[in-house]
Amino acid sequence: MTRRELLIGAGAGALSVLLVSCTPEPKPTPTSTRTPTPLPTTMVPPPAASMRSAWATDPFSRGAVSYTRIGVQSATRETLAEPVEGRVYFAGEATDADNPGTMRGAIHSGASAAMRLRATVEAGERIAVIGAGLAGAAVAADLADLDIEVTVLEARDRVGGRLHSQLDDDWPLPVQLGGWLIGADDDTDLGETVDLTTALWRSPEGAIEPTGNAPLETAIAAAQALPADVALAEALVETGADPEEPGLAALLAYLATSSGADADQLSAWFPPALPQSAFRGAVGDLGAFIEELLGDAQLTLSSPVSRIAYDDSGVSLRLGTGESTSFDRVVVTVPLGVLQRDGIEFAPPLPFPHRGAVNALGMGHIETIWLRYDEPFWDTEATIWHAVGGDHAVRTWINLLPVTGENLLVGIVGGDDAVEFAELKEQDALLSALRSLEAFVPSDATG
Ligand SMILES: Cc1cc2nc3c(=O)[nH]c(=O)nc-3n(C[C@H](O)[C@H](O)[C@H](O)COP(=O)(O)OP(=O)(O)OC[C@H]3O[C@@H](n4cnc5c(N)ncnc54)[C@H](O)[C@@H]3O)c2cc1C
């Protein structure tokens, strides 16, 4: 029995039952699409099935990951994490200054918020956590041993937030539509993982030598000596690099698949983590991992919070149903994109430093497309592919065949290309993805 069935079926408290039954289903996002229709206009064979994400239009994320804009201090994230009047706490990847935009940062932010709460809460208190993503689950896990009542309110009809393992009988593995990759030496426990360690950089003319991170490191070091912050793209140009050069352009596209932003949007003073050459990829159901973290916390799904009123005596939350419910304190873990779009009203409004931080940080974009083949058309054992040259939207691919035995390719696109890719109609998005794979069709297959 799943956690949700347990709540509805066994009645885990009047509040849960009431909310689940009264709240209209939110739009099912991200939208998954399957497209077995043949596409004749590319030399890459059509897949047996495809599925893609739509985080850009998701009302409960409004983008993929936060990034640090030009001129913004990384300490801005610490400002956002400051509790307000000891009643409203914040967590989520955007509040973590060390590993923003990552699963690691989300978990760490939840642990930090829980630590702050521990210093304040008294036995018997009722704490609300808004959002059942990694940060919210980490808060619940870290408060589990206290004599308090923790209620997690989640807008979607599932847990996980920007982790989304889509389970489907047509697919041999959970399709990871959100975060699933961690650094090779990252000790975050995401259940079963596979090693993705071999890269292939390929242009239409064949394999090429990777550019490597050296131009980025040189540009960042030079920019960090300047009196004012500049864009990473500007820093590259100033140090003699050409962001349009195909090898560097492919590297920057790769960077955008993790930062969510393009080089002309990113701060050179506080750049994102630079591209890595090796990863581990989670191949299990990350929803189950989140449920385990949530433990015995009371969870109510399909319950978007629309307003948070707070004062000396506690907090009152208004839900999508129009109903209000009271708690002693609240931890807000909703994505930065939701805060930026006024997805939740605060009464009184948040202090200026918090509002300033929300508006100063950027919300970037990442989308993914999974392709399943009956037979592989490729013959390389490399697991991380980079399409060099051309103006393809999807330039980064993960080949899961060597490490799982399944004919699966995963395309990842970030930055403005991700926004455009998300806007494409299903057939156009698939065609665009397939065209970017042309360099990986063996030459004997293309004649
Ligand atoms: C396509 C994609 C690929 C990524 N790839 C990687 C990767 O490979 N490696 C990596 O480390 N990171 C990756 N990330 C980032 C990583 O997924 C996130 O940093 C992390 O999952 C964020 O967790 P969180 O708890 O901060 O936020 P979320 O997971 O977004 O959780 C917030 C929760 O709040 C809920 N919510 C929103 N509004 C309301 C409301 N009004 N009321 C109630 N609930 C609400 C949301 O539904 C959500 O469940 C990726 C993200 C995306 C989108």
Side-chain angles (χ1 to χ4, degrees), residues 210-228:
T211 299
N213 286 341
L216 297 176
E217 287 160 357
T218 304
I220 290 163
Q224 288 179 342
L226 295 174

Side-chain angles (χ1 to χ4, degrees), residues 102-107 133-135 160 162-165 174 176 178-184 186-194 279-290 292-293:
T102 64
M103 298 186 272
R104 192 178 179 78
I107 294 171
L134 262 182
R162 281 171 279 169
L163 302 192
H164 187 190
S165 306
Q176 310 291 2
W180 65 298
L181 302 172
I182 53 176
D186 188 328
D187 59 1
T188 306
D189 180 8
L190 294 175
E192 190 186 349
T193 58
V194 291
F279 291 106
R280 286 191 295 130
V283 289
D285 175 9
L286 294 173
F289 166 69
I290 296 279
E292 204 179 309
L293 268 183

Side-chain angles (χ1 to χ4, degrees), residues 52-378:
R52 69 177 168 131
S53 63
W55 298 101
T57 51
D58 184 324
F60 303 125
S61 66
R62 299 285 183 196
V65 289
S66 67
Y67 68 90
T68 309
R69 284 193 179 120
I70 307 143
V72 175
Q73 306 285 311
S74 75
T76 301
R77 299 179 186 276
E78 286 158 16
T79 303
L80 187 55
E82 280 297 315
V84 178
E85 293 184 16
R87 295 289 165 190
V88 184
Y89 292 70
F90 289 89
E93 56 83 9
T95 67
D96 190 75
D98 294 332
N99 295 285
T102 64
M103 298 186 272
R104 192 178 179 78
I107 294 171
H108 186 253
S109 74
S112 303
M115 205 191 310
R116 288 182 198 260
L117 272 162
R118 273 177 176 278
T120 316
V121 291
E122 289 168 16
E125 282 197 8
R126 299 179 72 229
I127 308 294
V129 177
I130 305 180
L134 262 182
V139 173
D142 282 21
L143 294 179
D145 62 326
L146 295 186
D147 180 20
I148 58 174
E149 189 183 305
V150 177
T151 300
V152 182
L153 298 158
E154 167 55 50
R156 303 175 198 271
D157 61 2
R158 62 170 181 84
V159 299
R162 281 171 279 169
L163 302 192
H164 187 190
S165 306
Q166 181 79 51
L167 307 178
D168 188 313
D169 289 345
D170 287 346
W171 290 78
L173 298 176
V175 176
Q176 310 291 2
L177 292 170
W180 65 298
L181 302 172
I182 53 176
D185 51 3
D186 188 328
D187 59 1
T188 306
D189 180 8
L190 294 175
E192 190 186 349
T193 58
V194 291
D195 291 331
L196 305 165
T197 53
T198 43
L200 174 63
W201 296 73
R202 204 157 197 161
S203 76
E205 288 75 45
I208 65 158
E209 272 302 304
T211 299
N213 286 341
L216 297 176
E217 287 160 357
T218 304
I220 290 163
Q224 288 179 342
L226 295 174
D229 193 10
V230 295
L232 181 56
E234 193 181 331
L236 282 163
V237 172
E238 289 301 317
T239 49
D242 176 7
E244 303 292 322
E245 184 275 317
L248 184 53
L251 182 71
L252 293 174
Y254 187 27
L255 181 63
T257 65
S258 55
S259 69
D262 295 320
D264 59 356
Q265 300 167 315
L266 290 167
S267 160
W269 275 9
F270 301 104
L274 296 188
Q276 300 186 34
S277 54
F279 291 106
R280 286 191 295 130
V283 289
D285 175 9
L286 294 173
F289 166 69
I290 296 279
E291 295 200 352
E292 204 179 309
L293 268 183
L294 284 164
D296 292 332
Q298 181 155 304
L299 170 69
T300 60
L301 296 170
S302 304
S303 302
V305 173
S306 58
R307 187 171 190 268
I308 301 175
Y310 58 98
D311 62 20
D312 290 349
S313 60
V315 297
S316 170
L317 306 185
R318 188 187 296 158
L319 304 162
T321 52
E323 229 145 321
S324 291
T325 179
S326 297
F327 294 89
D328 293 294
R329 299 168 214 279
V330 62
V331 189
V332 181
T333 77
V334 304
L336 177 72
V338 172
L339 295 175
Q340 286 177 333
R341 303 281 197 97
D342 295 329
I344 296 180
E345 179 194 348
F346 290 86
L350 289 174
F352 286 130
H354 285 78
R355 277 183 274 166
V358 165
N359 290 304
L361 293 166
M363 191 66 183
H365 293 276
I366 308 173
E367 302 293 353
T368 188
I369 180 164
W370 281 57
L371 308 180
R372 176 173 67 73
Y373 282 88
D374 292 331
E375 294 293 329
F377 66 82
W378 59 99

